[in-house]
Structures are given as structure tokens and as C-alpha cells.
Amino acid sequence: MTTPPTLSVRSLSVNFGSNRVVRNLSFDVYPGKTTAIVGESGSGKSVTSLAIMRLVEYMNAEITSGTIMFHRDANGSQPQDLTQLSDKAMRKIRGKDIAMIFQEPMTSLNPVYTIGDQITEVLMLHENHTKTSARAEAVKLLKLVRLSDAEAMLKRYPHQLSGGMRQRVMIAMALACRPKVLVADEPTTALDVTIQAQILTIMRDLQQELGMAVIFITHDMGWWRKWPTR
Ligand SMILES: Nc1ncnc2c1ncn2[C@@H]1O[C@H](COP(=O)(O)OP(=O)(O)OP(=O)(O)O)[C@@H](O)[C@H]1O
Ligand SMILES: [Mg+2]
């Protein structure tokens, strides 16, 4: 039996008013595999990832055609079309089953809360953690993304971290609920080459450990030379 794709996008179109910025896009993403979306600036990569998360409607855009089929697991469960789900149903999936690393770390980190508060909130919301167990899990996650002194990191605010640290915190948050699908929108573009390589290795290791399907968005045509294989 062949494994079905975790996510199957067919003929997806997204409009800002009458301006169609994503046109008839189709692709599949398989468990433990990476599908890259490569394109120049303004070609609709971020809008595509926000459509998958059903966040486009919060920015006055609309999915005007297509389907986004999500297969939670290979055997058993019926696939769901994310374009047809209610906002309430989508809130359960977002962050838990499908997580995203945003292009701009500051858009997903709230400047007024500590890193610890933000990670523990996700864990308490989706994973039924208590405050104490969520904190212990947050420390584990920060160690997983190789942030040293995880305990001290929990008490810091996003602006007190470097770009590379923020990016790793975002990865830790995205992975908190062991998602089936990770959408990584230019996760390393803003970072220097050494940190880029480290972060790609971390993502690659975690992908294999968790069997995640990864959508890797970049405008770097040579991205695959940097994606660690082993
Ligand atoms: N909030 C918005 N309102 C109106 N148009 C928008 C909005 N956000 C994006 N667009 C338009 O949608 C198109 C696609 O933008 P998108 O952000 O997806 O590009 P991108 O491929 O991610 O580019 P980059 O590589 O620079 O991140 C662009 O032409 C842009 O002008
Ligand atoms: Mg973008």
C-alpha cells in the first residue's frame, strides 16, 4: 500500500479583492518528506502558507478556488478539506496538527510576554499540560533546538534575543504539539550562513524524529544544497 500525502493542495487560488495572487496551485507533501516552494519575491509564497493555515481571511484575502486535503494519519481517518472547515474547527488544527514558522519571527512572538509564557500557553491550550508540566516540557523543547541555558531563556522577552535565537524559539513553539505538517516560510533567510546551517540541521533532525511533512518556502534556488541529507 502506498502512503497517502499528509497534505494535498489542488487548484488553489487566492485573491485580494479582484487581484489573484495565487493561481491554480497544486502540490503534495508526504510524511517525513520535504516539499519546497521556490519563487521570487511577491510570487505568492507567504500567501500560500497563510492559506494552508486559513489565516488569509484575517488579512482580507479569500481562497477563491481549490481544495486543501489534510490526512491526519495514513490509515483510518478520512481526509478533511481545510478550505471547508469552520473557524472553530480550524483553531483546533492550527498550531496542533499544522504549525508554521513565520518569515518574520516578531509576527508570531508576542513582545509583551516572556518566551516561557508563550510556549507554555501553547502546551496548556492544545496538550492538556498543567502549568508545571508545561514548563518542564518548554525547557525540553528549548534544549531540542539547542538553546543553551533554557531555564533562563524562559524568563526572557523576544526583544532580548538575537535573530537566530528568536528563530529557534519559533521552531520550538511550532514543534511543541508535534505537528503532522510544518510550514516553514523562509525560516533562515534573515540569518547568517552559520546559523542558517545549524537551523536547517535542527529542522531536518526533528523532521526525521517526528515523521513530519515539511513545506519549505524559499526564494533561494540553491536551497537544496544547504538542506542537510544523511
Ligand atoms: N496584505 C496584503 N494586501 C494586499 N496585497 C497583498 C498583501 N499581502 C501580500 N499581497 C500581495 O500578494 C502577492 C504575494 O505576496 P507574498 O507575500 O505571498 O509574496 P512572497 O512570495 O512571500 O514574497 P517574499 O519572497 O518577498 O516573501 C504580492 O504581489 C503582494 O503584493
Ligand atoms: Mg514571503
Side-chain angles (χ1 to χ4, degrees):
M1 201 182 89
T2 53
T3 313
T6 312
L7 203 72
S8 223
V9 175
R10 286 294 171 274
S11 302
L12 180 72
S13 297
V14 183
N15 277 42
F16 282 98
S18 60
N19 185 17
R20 179 156 295 188
V21 298
V22 175
R23 197 178 301 264
N24 280 328
L25 179 69
S26 301
F27 63 90
D28 292 323
V29 198
Y30 288 86
K33 305 276 189 212
T34 304
T35 295
I37 300 180
V38 188
E40 64 192 30
S41 185
S43 58
K45 304 183 299 297
S46 292
V47 171
T48 299
S49 46
L50 294 168
I52 293 167
M53 297 289 280
R54 280 277 305 279
L55 290 171
V56 279
E57 47 246 63
Y58 293 98
M59 44 194 285
N60 287 322
E62 190 194 352
I63 297 174
T64 46
S65 77
T67 55
I68 303 171
M69 302 307 292
F70 171 55
H71 302 232
R72 192 179 306 274
D73 43 81
N75 33 22
S77 73
Q78 280 294 103
Q80 291 172 289
D81 182 358
L82 301 184
T83 68
Q84 299 303 315
L85 292 187
S86 68
D87 200 50
K88 184 161 174 255
M90 209 48 224
R91 267 202 297 273
K92 285 197 192 131
I93 288 182
R94 207 182 285 137
K96 162 115 188 81
D97 296 311
I98 306 180
M100 180 161 172
I101 302 172
F102 290 86
Q103 190 165 4
E104 298 292 334
M106 289 311 273
T107 45
S108 64
L109 295 175
N110 191 326
V112 303
Y113 292 105
T114 62
I115 302 303
D117 286 341
Q118 297 187 56
I119 301 180
T120 50
E121 189 188 284
V122 176
L123 290 164
M124 285 158 71
L125 181 71
H126 286 301
E127 304 284 275
N128 293 324
H129 273 279
T130 63
K131 188 131 197 157
T132 318
S133 68
R135 248 182 139 74
E137 180 67 18
V139 169
K140 259 195 237 163
L141 284 161
L142 292 175
K143 286 184 178 155
L144 206 63
V145 294
R146 327 269 203 276
L147 279 167
S148 53
D149 205 357
E151 294 280 356
M153 193 63 68
L154 290 180
K155 302 196 188 90
R156 296 224 217 160
Y157 290 88
H159 71 267
Q160 297 174 315
L161 307 180
S162 74
M165 287 170 158
R166 276 201 288 265
Q167 208 71 22
R168 280 181 280 178
V169 168
M170 261 212 308
I171 295 175
M173 269 175 72
L175 296 173
C177 301
R178 317 261 179 232
K180 302 278 180 193
V181 181
L182 178 68
V183 185
D185 187 1
E186 312 241 13
T188 61
T189 307
L191 306 172
D192 71 58
V193 182
T194 326
I195 310 274
Q196 268 189 20
Q198 279 177 16
I199 287 180
L200 292 181
T201 305
I202 292 167
M203 285 179 57
R204 175 79 207 191
D205 287 351
L206 294 172
Q207 173 185 32
Q208 292 186 338
E209 209 177 299
L210 303 175
M212 270 184 322
V214 174
I215 300 174
F216 189 85
I217 293 180
T218 179
H219 63 254
D220 178 0
M221 295 290 176
W223 73 277
W224 52 272
R225 267 183 254 115
K226 296 178 190 156
W227 188 244
T229 46
R230 69 177 69 82

